[in-house]
Amino acid sequence: MKTKNICDLARTIRSKNAGSFMITFEIIFADRNIYEKVKKSGAITRKAIADAYKLPEGEIHDFMFFDPGMGIKGNIERKSPSGGPGETDVYGCQQYAPLFSLEIPWEE
Amino acid sequence: MRKVSLLVSTGNLGDNIIEKGTFYEGVKRDIDYFGADAGTADAGPTFLGADMPHNPIEWERHDLEITLVESRKKKVPMIVGSASTTGTDRGVNLYADIIRSVAKERKMEPFTMALIYSELSIDMLRERVRRGETEPLGASYPLTDEVLDNTTYVTASMGIEQFTHALEKGADVIIAGRACDDAVLAAYPIFKGFDKGISLHMGKAAECASLVCWPQKVKESIIGTVYDDYFTIEPLHPDQQATPHSVAAHSMYERTNPFVQALPGGILDMHNSKYEALTDRICKVSGSVFVPSPDGSYKVKLEGAGEAGHRVYHFVGIRDTRAIEHLDLILADTRKKVSEIIGPHRDGLYDLYFHTYGKDAIMKENEPVAKTSSHEVAIVIEVVSKDLELATSVAKCAKFRFFYMSYPGQMNSSGGSVALLTDEPLFPKNKCYQWTVDHLVTLKDPLDPEIFRYSFETVSGV
C-alpha cells in the first residue's frame, strides 16, 4: 500500500514543556478531511508514537485525538525537571523530530 | 446584550515588548479592562531559585507604562499576574515601584493599587507538610523536609478568588505574585457576575495574546469579550484571524490535556466546548464549564526551586571520523578515567554530563537514532558540584582525557580532540538551580493570610 509521510499531511508538528516535569507534543492538521483520513487510517496510535521514539508504550501519556483543534497529542515525562543539572532542551521544544518518521497509508 | 471586553497584548509581560500599533488600535475600542500575565516556568528554575529578574527592566517598564497610562485614561482596571516572571515578593515590589514612578512622572490622578504577595515562608510550609496538607502535582515525590532544605524560594499560584477579593476592595490596578494565567484574565468578568467556565476559557484562550490567532504573531493585541453564555476572540492585527481551528488548537499549547484545565477549587471542563466562526476573523466559543472539585477542596499549586551547585562547562570538538566511529567507547572511557583520577571516593560529590552534539545532545535517552552519521561532533562537558574547585578539576580532567583518548584504529598520537575557545573552562555567572517543588497545598480558606498577603495603597502623581 502507498503511504504518505506525516510532514506532507500535517500543518504543525511541535513539542514544548507542559509544566517543568512533562514534555507535550502535537501534530496539527489544517484540513478537516486530511485530519479525519489520518485518524481513520489507524496508523497513529499510542504504540506508533512510542515506536517512533523507541520508548515503551507506557511512557507515552494522555495520547489523544483532539477533534476541535484537528490535533493528535501525546506527552513524555522528563527524566529530570527542566533547566536543572544536565539539561539540554530547557523549553522541551526540539523533542518532536522523531514524529517525522510516521507514515500514513494513503490512496489518493 | 451584557458583555465585558479585555485588551490583552502580551502572553508574557516584559519579555520583549508589546507591539504598539495593535495596542493603540485596541485602545480605540470599547475596553472594560486590561490584563496581562508576566509569568512562566519555561525559562528554567534559575530565576526563581536565585530570585532574580528574567527580563531587562526597561522592557518591564515599557509594557507596564503603556498599559497603566491607557487604563487610567479609560478609568478601567489593569490586572497583572506573576510579576517579574516568577511572582516572588521581589517581583511584586519591582512592578509596584514602576507603577508608582510612572504615576508620578505622568502626574496621574489618584488610584488604588492592590499588591497580592504569594511567596511562601519555607518554615511555614514545613508546618503544612508536617500536617499532611501537601501532595505531589508535577513532581513524582512527596514534599519533605529534605526537599525544602534544598529549596530557596516557593510561590503559590493564585486563582480567581484572590483577584476578586482585591476588586471587591476597590482596586484599580492589581499587581499580583504568582498566578494561574487564565485566572489573571478571567477574574474581572467573574467579579462582574459572568459565568466562571466561559470567563476562564476566555482567559485560557487569550493568555498568550496574538498566539491564539493565525498566522502566528507575538506581542500583538487581541480582544477577548465575555457574554452571558459564550466568549469571542478578535485579533487587532489586520493580517490575523481567530478561527475555530486556531482557538481550539491553542488549548493544546504547552498543556498535556486540551479538554481539562485545573485551577484552585476545580477544573475548567472543555469537553463540550463549541468553536464557531462569528466572522472570518472572530471566533465564538460556548459550552465550557467550571466544575468545582467534588470534595469541595481548594488546592493551590506551589512552585519552588533551589541551588544544585556550581556549574562549570568545557567544550571539545572531534573531526577524526575514526574516533567518531568509536564515540560511545571514548565517552565511556573518558568518564571512567575521570573517576579514576579524581578518585572514586569523590564520585558522589559531582555530576558529570557529556552533551554530544552530532549524536544525542538534544534528546539524550530518548534519541531514537543510535549511530551518528556526522563527520564532526562537539562535546559540551558539564559538571555540577557544591564544590567549585572540584567541579573545575573534573571539567579540566575530562577535557584533558578527550585530548589523549585512545580507540581502535587510531591514527593520531595525541590531540584526539580540539579545545574550543580556550583551555580554561567556562564559568556561568549564575549557579545551577533546579525545580524542587511542584506540589499542591490544600487551603481551608482561599484567602489564607499566610499564603496570600494583601497591601492596598493610593498611588497619586498629583
Side-chain angles (χ1 to χ4, degrees):
Chain A
M1 193 181 207
K2 281 188 194 159
T3 65
K4 256 197 173 179
N5 184 267
I6 194 71
C7 298
D8 298 326
L9 297 169
R11 168 204 178 112
T12 303
I13 300 179
R14 67 187 181 193
S15 67
K16 199 80 196 283
N17 291 342
S20 305
F21 290 75
M22 204 62 104
I23 287 171
T24 189
F25 51 82
E26 55 250 6
I27 303 169
I28 303 174
F29 297 84
D31 181 286
R32 178 71 57 189
N33 292 328
I34 293 177
Y35 168 72
E36 292 296 346
K37 204 167 157 182
V38 170
K39 187 177 172 184
K40 279 200 194 88
S41 79
I44 303 192
T45 58
R46 189 178 177 202
K47 171 88 169 55
I49 301 282
D51 287 349
Y53 282 90
K54 297 200 174 133
L55 285 172
E57 200 178 329
E59 290 192 26
I60 307 296
H61 303 282
D62 278 332
F63 171 78
M64 68 174 78
F65 286 85
F66 179 58
D67 293 346
M70 294 184 233
I72 305 168
K73 204 155 173 51
N75 303 278
I76 301 176
E77 202 175 328
R78 280 175 160 276
K79 295 287 184 285
S80 60
S82 70
E87 178 65 66
T88 54
D89 184 1
V90 71
Y91 304 142
C93 63
Q94 275 291 304
Q95 303 299 315
Y96 56 83
L99 298 172
F100 292 173
S101 67
L102 293 168
E103 293 287 332
I104 315 298
W106 205 265
E107 297 294 340
E108 288 302 335
Chain B
M1 203 184 323
R2 214 163 66 108
K3 69 180 177 75
V4 55
S5 285
L6 156 75
L7 182 66
V8 56
S9 312
T10 172
N12 201 342
L13 186 141
D15 187 2
N16 278 278
I17 59 172
I18 292 171
E19 296 285 348
K20 287 201 190 67
T22 52
F23 174 77
Y24 288 113
E25 207 47 53
V27 164
K28 290 181 199 159
R29 306 280 286 274
D30 186 14
I31 299 298
D32 298 298
Y33 70 113
F34 291 76
D37 187 64
T40 178
D42 230 17
T46 305
F47 304 96
L48 179 60
D51 194 20
M52 57 187 250
H54 173 268
N55 305 320
I57 304 301
E58 59 193 87
W59 292 353
E60 307 270 26
R61 189 182 169 97
H62 174 275
D63 285 4
L64 288 169
E65 179 162 12
I66 64 171
T67 312
L68 179 67
V69 167
E70 297 309 322
S71 71
R72 291 326 303 148
K73 271 189 205 161
K74 286 179 181 285
K75 300 259 187 287
V76 300
M78 161 179 171
I79 304 175
V80 176
S82 302
S84 192
T85 310
T86 57
T88 57
D89 290 358
R90 175 202 57 77
V92 174
N93 289 332
L94 171 75
Y95 279 20
D97 278 344
I98 294 173
I99 297 288
R100 292 180 195 113
S101 137
V102 170
K104 203 170 167 188
E105 266 173 39
R106 300 282 191 143
K107 300 187 169 46
M108 286 183 174
E109 294 292 321
F111 59 90
T112 302
M113 175 164 73
L115 308 180
I116 317 176
Y117 295 95
S118 69
E119 183 182 318
L120 270 68
S121 138
I122 291 182
D123 284 336
M124 180 268 292
L125 182 54
R126 275 181 209 280
E127 273 305 308
R128 292 179 188 242
V129 169
R130 255 172 233 138
R131 295 204 299 260
E133 292 165 7
T134 61
E135 62 190 277
L137 179 63
S140 55
Y141 46 83
L143 202 48
T144 58
D145 272 338
E146 197 193 340
V147 173
L148 291 176
D149 287 343
N150 290 314
T151 300
T152 46
Y153 288 89
V154 183
T155 58
S157 294
M158 63 190 84
I160 295 298
E161 293 72 11
Q162 294 76 23
F163 286 102
T164 49
H165 177 71
L167 291 165
E168 281 158 14
K169 294 269 181 190
D172 299 307
V173 173
I174 300 176
I175 301 295
R178 195 70 173 119
C180 300
D181 46 19
D182 43 4
V184 176
L185 304 182
Y188 188 69
I190 292 170
F191 167 69
K192 289 302 229 181
F194 286 86
D195 180 76
K196 224 170 169 178
I198 298 293
S199 302
L200 279 165
H201 196 169
M202 187 283 292
K204 200 70 228 160
E207 51 106 359
C208 282
S210 49
L211 280 189
V212 67
C213 306
W214 281 341
Q216 189 190 306
K217 290 182 188 295
V218 288
K219 305 285 172 186
E220 301 287 358
S221 296
I222 64 166
I223 292 176
T225 301
V226 176
Y227 297 85
D228 277 326
D229 50 11
Y230 66 95
F231 71 90
T232 59
I233 296 287
E234 178 185 359
L236 288 155
H237 195 289
D239 295 346
Q240 281 200 303
Q241 294 174 301
T243 67
H245 187 200
S246 78
V247 176
H250 186 69
S251 51
M252 289 190 278
Y253 185 60
E254 294 181 333
R255 302 188 31 241
T256 56
N257 187 331
F259 289 114
V260 174
Q261 174 71 32
L263 77 157
I267 56 159
L268 168 62
D269 184 340
M270 295 170 277
H271 279 98
N272 295 316
S273 299
K274 200 171 151 201
Y275 303 81
E276 298 164 90
L278 199 63
T279 72
D280 62 345
R281 301 187 65 242
I282 304 176
C283 175
K284 171 185 170 183
V285 184
S286 56
S288 314
V289 186
F290 176 77
V291 183
S293 41
D295 59 357
S297 65
Y298 193 87
K299 295 179 182 183
V300 171
K301 181 187 173 182
L302 303 175
E303 208 167 73
E307 206 180 293
H310 296 274
R311 173 139 59 184
V312 179
Y313 288 111
H314 231 316
F315 301 97
V316 299
I318 302 174
R319 174 62 179 85
D320 182 334
T321 45
R322 296 168 74 94
I324 293 169
E325 185 68 24
H326 296 287
L327 203 51
D328 290 337
L329 172 82
I330 290 165
L331 292 168
D333 276 359
T334 304
R335 186 176 287 281
K336 214 170 110 196
K337 200 71 194 167
V338 169
S339 162
E340 209 178 296
I341 291 168
I342 298 295
H345 65 288
R346 294 203 281 179
D347 279 357
L349 299 179
Y350 63 88
D351 288 313
L352 170 63
Y353 304 93
F354 297 141
H355 307 298
T356 312
Y357 286 86
K359 183 179 182 288
D360 61 0
I362 294 166
M363 297 197 63
K364 287 286 164 74
E365 322 59 0
N366 290 345
E367 176 56 67
V369 177
K371 201 163 173 57
T372 176
S373 53
S374 179
H375 65 281
E376 65 175 19
V377 299
I379 303 162
V380 174
I381 300 162
E382 176 188 347
V383 189
V384 177
S385 173
K386 300 275 183 200
D387 179 344
L388 178 60
E389 212 172 306
L390 177 63
T392 308
S393 302
V394 172
K396 285 188 169 192
C397 184
K399 189 230 69 172
F400 183 88
R401 300 321 309 185
F402 277 121
F403 188 75
Y404 286 111
M405 62 199 183
S406 47
Y407 46 89
Q410 185 166 0
M411 301 300 288
N412 67 55
S413 59
S414 71
S417 66
V418 295
L420 300 180
L421 309 174
T422 159
D423 214 23
E424 186 63 7
L426 295 183
F427 302 93
K429 195 172 131 207
N430 302 308
K431 286 186 180 174
C432 177
Y433 289 84
Q434 59 194 347
W435 294 114
T436 52
V437 181
D438 191 312
H439 294 76
L440 292 169
V441 62
T442 302
L443 304 186
K444 289 194 186 79
D445 173 10
L447 300 181
D448 187 326
E450 280 187 342
I451 307 273
F452 301 110
R453 288 156 291 125
Y454 287 83
S455 157
F456 293 90
E457 69 185 81
T458 302
V459 179
S460 172
V462 292

